[in-house]
Amino acid sequence: AMNNETTGIAGNLRAHVTHLAHHIGERHLWRDNSLARATGYIESNLNRFGYDPVRQSYKAYGRTVSNIIAEKRGARSETMVIGAHYDSVSNPGADDDASGVALILECARIVSQYPSDRTIRVCAFSREEQGLVGSEGRCRSLGGRSSTPSCGRPGTTARYAMALRSWRTLPG
């Protein structure tokens, strides 16, 4: 049986996926400002949860696209990174990866309510569907290898990283 908190979480996840996949739809460079609309949606939710998101912007085919990074600072330099990509290709991307974005937003909402010794960093990447461009660019900008999941700032240690992808409700 689901309690009120679980029902609320499920409703929030569903609302995020519906907004990204249905109201915005396909999210890529060649579709009517869709990446900018998704960026705005993610940023506004992070702001609502008390975060101060920043954009890591870069050019792609003459257009500006952005990764979105927000964090809740902890007392220690250890960092937990939670990331997902918000672009899609050839479909509205409900399960690739609006569901991952829904999860990082809901994690950010829940985590914002509790103290943490560790810094919690939320990363929403653009252009993953075009070869991990956003996440690799974030790591390179920090002097790391493209496989480094830190998505952070120099002097922090990413001890934990979750790349969320394709949340689905399973039968039963």
Side-chain angles (χ1 to χ4, degrees):
M2 292 176 61
N3 62 30
N4 287 341
E5 184 176 352
T6 305
T7 302
I9 292 169
N12 292 342
L13 292 169
R14 187 173 296 107
H16 291 311
V17 170
T18 299
H19 186 85
L20 290 164
H22 178 70
H23 297 296
I24 297 175
E26 288 183 50
R27 298 168 304 282
H28 54 76
L29 283 173
W30 300 276
R31 184 164 185 277
D32 304 329
N33 215 18
S34 58
L35 287 177
R37 290 173 54 211
T39 300
Y41 178 78
I42 294 164
E43 286 176 328
S44 69
N45 277 281
L46 290 168
N47 280 318
R48 194 165 51 96
F49 306 146
Y51 294 86
D52 188 19
V54 295
R55 290 184 183 191
Q56 179 202 23
S57 297
Y58 57 95
K59 292 285 188 184
Y61 298 98
R63 300 177 187 190
T64 301
V65 293
S66 302
N67 296 328
I68 307 157
I69 296 101
E71 67 180 29
K72 178 182 177 182
R73 301 286 289 176
R76 302 186 331 206
S77 65
E78 282 187 345
T79 301
M80 178 177 194
V81 177
I82 305 168
H85 71 93
Y86 63 94
D87 61 319
S88 67
V89 143
S90 302
N91 64 65
D95 67 347
D96 188 9
D97 197 23
S99 58
V101 173
L103 284 167
I104 67 169
L105 289 174
E106 192 59 6
C107 286
R109 182 190 69 79
I110 293 167
V111 165
S112 72
Q113 301 171 34
Y114 302 98
S116 174
D117 284 344
R118 292 178 180 88
T119 294
I120 308 298
R121 185 166 300 117
V122 178
C123 301
F125 298 110
S126 180
R127 299 197 63 233
E128 183 273 350
E129 294 291 354
Q130 288 81 44
L132 304 175
V133 174
S135 56
E136 286 186 355
R138 177 66 182 159
C139 291
R140 274 194 308 275
S141 76
L142 300 167
R145 297 182 313 271
S146 61
S147 60
T148 305
S150 68
C151 309
R153 60 177 51 132
T156 62
T157 303
R159 296 289 303 257
Y160 311 94
M162 291 189 292
L164 301 174
R165 196 169 159 89
S166 299
W167 162 69
R168 296 181 184 148
T169 303
L170 301 176

